């Protein structure tokens, strides 16, 4: 009992620490950029000054978008790793992000498939459909008794290869503007952040995150195995379908607003799990906060290291996640 109380206090301390670190990063990121706009400097200026417009309508939406997308990617990674009971499960490795990106690429080349009233949500719907289809394919394959870690990773490699070839064909037939859009999408970019885009992203991601957190207890029970979870009163297949649907919403929305940002869903949950264990009551919120911190830090570096130009944020996360994934592979050999 005393040990449980000690662990709970330790986990709460971690959550508070991540929250404080995230707030500090937001403040730091708001002051960094091609223009050195500190809050104390802006307070001495009138509200109609152009610098206020840059800070409020360009910089802050991008910061909030990085936080929201980071939470979505890391939380979906934690859910998938728990759902498949596999520490290497990740939306990028299994091809879910690629499926979402493929549908977004199709919506860029063929915008007429969406009615004008859905233009704001068109990419969201397309990315959701793409991620959901791949989620269902992986879920069906995971039911195979001969499914294992190596085969699942190979399945993800095959999906990514096929979709990569299709994306190459789309890039070949597209015009210069469409090619540029698809290229930026494939590398991950938060440069299009606006309050409208933040509103759209939050309207999808916030309810999905709330639902995922509510299902944390069920996800813990699923770790015991499908048979034991069934005997404990859990409708296993229904809970798995709900979780896959929520992952599709989180991943699809993230890809729609930011493109493919790799490894956040792999690195963050794995590192958090080393600290808090496999209890998803703590793992999910801690992963969400950790993902927000990682993506915001990466985006801050992406737009400041070579200012006034920018580096796609997906390249930064890949530079971090690639070596970490290699270490995981060698560790679990």
């Amino acid at each position: 009992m005393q040990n449980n109380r000690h662990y709970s206090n330790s986990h709460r301390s971690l959550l508070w620490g991540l929250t404080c670190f995230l707030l500090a990063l937001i403040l730091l990121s708001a002051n960094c950029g091609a223009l050195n706009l500190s809050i104390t400097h802006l307070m001495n200026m009138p509200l109609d000054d152009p610098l206020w417009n840059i800070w409020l309508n360009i910089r802050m939406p991008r910061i909030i978008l990085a936080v929201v997308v980071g939470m979505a990617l890391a939380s979906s990674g934690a859910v998938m790793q728990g759902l498949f009971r596999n520490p290497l499960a990740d939306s990028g490795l299994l091809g879910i992000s690629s499926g979402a990106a493929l549908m977004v690429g199709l919506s860029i080349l063929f915008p007429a498939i969406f009615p004008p009233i859905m233009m704001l949500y068109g990419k969201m719907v397309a990315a959701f459909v793409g991620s959901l289809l791949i989620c269902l394919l992986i879920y069906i394959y995971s039911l195979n008794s001969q499914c294992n870690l190596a085969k699942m990773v190979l399945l993800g490699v095959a999906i990514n290869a096929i979709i990569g070839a299709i994306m190459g064909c789309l890039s070949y037939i597209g015009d210069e503007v469409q090619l540029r859009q698809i290229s930026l999408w494939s590398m991950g970019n938060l440069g299009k952040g606006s309050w409208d885009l933040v509103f759209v992203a939050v309207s999808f991601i916030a309810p999905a995150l709330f639902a995922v957190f509510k299902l944390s207890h069920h996800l813990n029970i699923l770790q015991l195995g499908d048979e034991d979870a069934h005997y404990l009163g859990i409708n296993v297949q229904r809970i798995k379908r709900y979780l896959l649907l929520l992952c599709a919403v989180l991943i699809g929305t993230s890809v729609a607003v930011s493109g493919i940002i790799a490894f956040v869903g792999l690195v963050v949950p794995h590192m958090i799990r080393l600290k808090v264990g496999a209890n998803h009551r703590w793992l999910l919120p801690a992963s969400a906060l950790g993902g927000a911190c990682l993506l915001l830090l990466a985006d801050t570096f992406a737009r400041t290291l070579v200012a006034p130009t920018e580096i796609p944020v997906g390249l930064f996360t890949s530079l971090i996640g690639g070596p970490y994934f290699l270490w995981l592979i060698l560790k679990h050999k």
Side-chain angles (χ1 to χ4, degrees):
M1 184 73 176
Q2 190 172 3
N3 287 336
N4 290 337
R5 188 180 300 112
H6 170 72
Y7 284 125
S8 297
N9 291 334
S10 175
H11 296 161
R12 288 192 182 94
S13 299
L14 176 63
L15 291 179
W16 279 112
L18 287 172
T19 302
C20 293
F21 183 59
L22 177 59
L23 293 175
L25 276 179
I26 291 174
L27 183 61
L28 175 66
S29 183
N31 293 334
C32 296
L35 289 175
N36 190 14
L37 300 177
S38 66
I39 298 177
T40 54
H41 179 66
L42 289 173
M43 293 298 292
N44 298 322
M45 295 183 175
L47 292 177
D48 59 349
D49 191 279
L51 293 179
W52 266 110
N53 182 61
I54 294 174
W55 186 85
L56 187 61
N57 294 319
I58 297 178
R59 189 167 295 179
M60 286 307 298
R62 179 167 183 166
I63 291 173
I64 301 301
L65 193 64
V67 170
V68 173
V69 171
M71 286 184 169
L73 292 174
S75 298
S76 64
V79 170
M80 293 188 65
Q81 290 173 16
L83 190 61
F84 295 110
R85 296 190 290 275
N86 187 332
L88 298 182
D90 172 64
S91 62
L93 297 176
L94 298 180
I96 300 174
S97 295
S98 297
L102 173 61
M103 296 303 292
V104 171
L106 290 173
S107 70
I108 291 174
L109 260 70
F110 309 105
I113 61 179
F114 295 103
I117 195 173
M118 286 186 60
M119 288 306 295
L120 186 61
Y121 289 91
K123 291 185 176 64
M124 303 285 182
V125 176
F128 169 72
V129 171
S131 60
L132 181 60
L133 289 175
I134 302 299
C135 276
L136 291 175
L137 175 63
I138 293 170
Y139 172 66
I140 293 171
Y141 180 71
S142 69
L143 298 177
N144 188 343
S145 60
Q146 297 182 354
C147 176
N148 55 36
L149 170 60
K151 289 184 178 180
M152 190 171 291
V153 173
L154 289 175
L155 176 65
V157 171
I159 292 173
N160 283 320
I162 294 170
I163 293 179
I166 298 174
M167 291 291 289
C169 295
L170 295 179
S171 300
Y172 181 77
I173 64 176
D175 57 32
E176 292 185 4
V177 175
Q178 294 170 334
L179 177 61
R180 177 68 174 172
Q181 287 181 307
I182 294 175
S183 177
L184 288 176
W185 229 277
S186 64
M187 291 185 289
N189 194 341
L190 295 168
K192 298 294 184 180
S194 64
W195 287 118
D196 288 340
L197 201 60
V198 168
F199 172 77
V200 171
V202 170
S203 66
F204 279 87
I205 290 175
L209 282 177
F210 178 78
V212 163
F213 294 159
K214 292 286 287 184
L215 291 173
S216 60
H217 177 65
H218 295 79
L219 194 54
N220 284 337
I221 296 178
L222 288 177
Q223 305 310 297
L224 302 174
D226 292 355
E227 186 175 354
D228 290 339
H230 175 73
Y231 288 138
L232 289 172
I234 298 296
N235 189 327
V236 175
Q237 300 306 321
R238 185 175 65 181
I239 293 299
K240 285 186 175 183
R241 285 195 296 267
Y242 283 164
L243 289 171
L244 281 174
L245 181 65
L246 292 171
C247 283
V249 173
L250 293 172
I251 297 167
T253 304
S254 300
V255 172
V257 300
S258 63
I260 299 179
I261 299 178
F263 291 110
V264 174
L266 172 68
V267 173
V268 175
H270 198 276
M271 294 180 67
I272 297 295
R273 188 179 288 104
L274 296 176
K275 183 67 176 177
V276 305
N279 187 344
H280 290 83
R281 177 190 172 193
W282 302 104
L283 178 61
L284 288 173
S287 295
L289 291 170
C293 292
L294 176 61
L295 188 55
L296 180 56
L297 187 62
D299 186 59
T300 302
F301 280 121
R303 61 185 177 82
T304 57
L305 282 183
V306 291
T309 59
E310 295 183 6
I311 302 173
V313 68
L315 300 183
F316 269 96
T317 58
S318 295
L319 287 174
I320 297 171
Y324 190 82
F325 177 61
L326 180 61
W327 176 77
L328 285 180
I329 292 291
L330 297 177
K331 179 183 176 183
H332 290 87
K333 63 182 179 179

